[in-house]
Amino acid sequence: MNVPNFSRRDLIKLCGFAALATPALGQSANNRVRLGIIGCGWRAKDLAKLFSKINDVEIVALSDPHPAQMDSVSTLLAGKSKELVKFQDYRKLLDQSDIDAVVIASPNHWHTLHAIHAMQAGKDVYMEKPVTHDIWEGAQLLAAEAKYGRIVAAGHQGRSDPGIKSGISYVQEGNLGKILRIHVCCFRERDSIGKRAEPLVPPAGMDYNLWLGPAAELPLYRENLHYDWHWVWNTGNGDTGNQAPHEIDTACQLLGDLGLPESLRSFGGRFGWNDAGETPNLQSSFYEIGGVPLVLEVNDLKITPTRNTVASRDGIRVGIVAHCEGGQLRGGLSGMYAVGPDGKKPIMKFSSDGGAMHQENFINAVRSRKKESIASRLTTAVQAATIAHLSNVSYRTGASVDAAKIQETFPQEAALAEILADQSKQLADWGISNPSYTLGQKIDIEPGSRKVVTPELDAELIRRTCRPEFVIPELA
């Protein structure tokens, strides 16, 4: 089924849903906050450590369809929780009246439904990025936040990082002049996920139906069930939706959180691995936000098959490079710095703590009931996720072309020649000459209504079909 554009329900409310007043929280004595964690993969381990360090916070419950995952997190919490209980079905965790808030660290395809069900159960929510798995889900999340009046924060810890905040203020105060363009960098060291001859059998003891949830039941030909779900569309969004939302969020913050881009187009491919993955490992997207060009460059491929390192852009692997009239702002969660017009010696440095206070910011908001105090609000988290999803929607509408056609398509993009030249050398080292790229459809967005006006976008790319037991409520 094709749709000519997004309806009001699909997109208008994505970047500014009005919030209702938040009711007082019935917490336990002494201002203690009792947490449950939904989804117990590797990120849950980090979050369990971070939240357990906060005074008067106790993690009391875990939930994951795979008991072994819960066991791994509970081992980390040994001695830190007096009454930790485990629920294979998250709905039983949400039924516990003494749990004040939940931390959602499940796979991407579950984020929105877990969050909405938690809000419906009267729980506050801290959720990992991307907060949605597709574009339509963003409006539903924002509507749920407004309807149920809960405190909701996202795991964009850059919003709490002093280095990022200071670097952004430095540019916004005019110290480097006008912002000319922003390069969002996501260079990660990933490996092939392999390709099985026969479908993967889920681990014994796992409730695979509950792990799938809203996702379609499809055969899995990758080697590992966990984490590698990122690289198939049914459950993940590639690194454009995994890592890049952090850096997209920083770019949006620098630009003043203007909302969705006016237009965008993406190209790339999955090169070198010949595995069960579907998402691109090289992907470049060109946006325009508030009249400022923005380039998102995702590169998950090692420089060569034998060199255990990745590429970079102006010395930045994961972060942003903001090109301004009087220099550049570079960096991200590892720290930021400004350089002058020569692009060499830093003229100002901004120290990072990696967003160390981010989880405590959420807990403070849970206690105070002051939504405005949340560092990473749902509105900006949906904004970052939607920009990433739009890139993937463009890519997934694409056709096969050569590099010459890519160059012809983006004649005004200053970064394109450098990207193509670097990738040509990189791919040649992987034994790939004259690479065939997927060139996505150009997507235009109407500035006033925020409606996508590009015709003939596949509706399934905007709003996936969920399995009947796990349908996401239509609230907007």
Side-chain angles (χ1 to χ4, degrees), residues 2 34 75 157 169 242 250 307 312 325 377 390:
N2 291 320
R34 294 166 60 86
T75 299
Q157 60 265 37
S169 295
N242 173 45
T250 298
R307 289 185 64 189
S312 65
E325 290 176 322
R377 299 278 298 273
L390 285 167

Side-chain angles (χ1 to χ4, degrees), residues 364-404:
N364 289 340
V366 168
R367 288 174 173 146
S368 71
R369 315 312 298 163
K370 293 180 179 178
K371 182 176 178 179
E372 65 276 9
S373 70
I374 298 171
S376 180
R377 299 278 298 273
L378 190 55
T379 49
T380 55
V382 168
Q383 171 185 261
T386 303
I387 291 172
H389 296 328
L390 285 167
S391 178
N392 282 335
V393 169
S394 172
Y395 173 83
R396 295 178 71 184
T397 65
S400 181
V401 300
D402 60 16

Side-chain angles (χ1 to χ4, degrees), residues 440-469:
Q441 187 172 353
K442 184 175 184 287
I443 296 178
D444 294 307
I445 300 173
E446 192 175 86
S449 69
R450 315 309 296 161
K451 288 168 60 176
V452 170
V453 297
T454 302
E456 299 303 320
L457 287 178
D458 188 338
E460 188 68 24
L461 298 181
I462 310 305
R463 177 184 180 179
R464 61 182 165 146
T465 300
C466 298
R467 295 195 302 144
E469 186 184 349

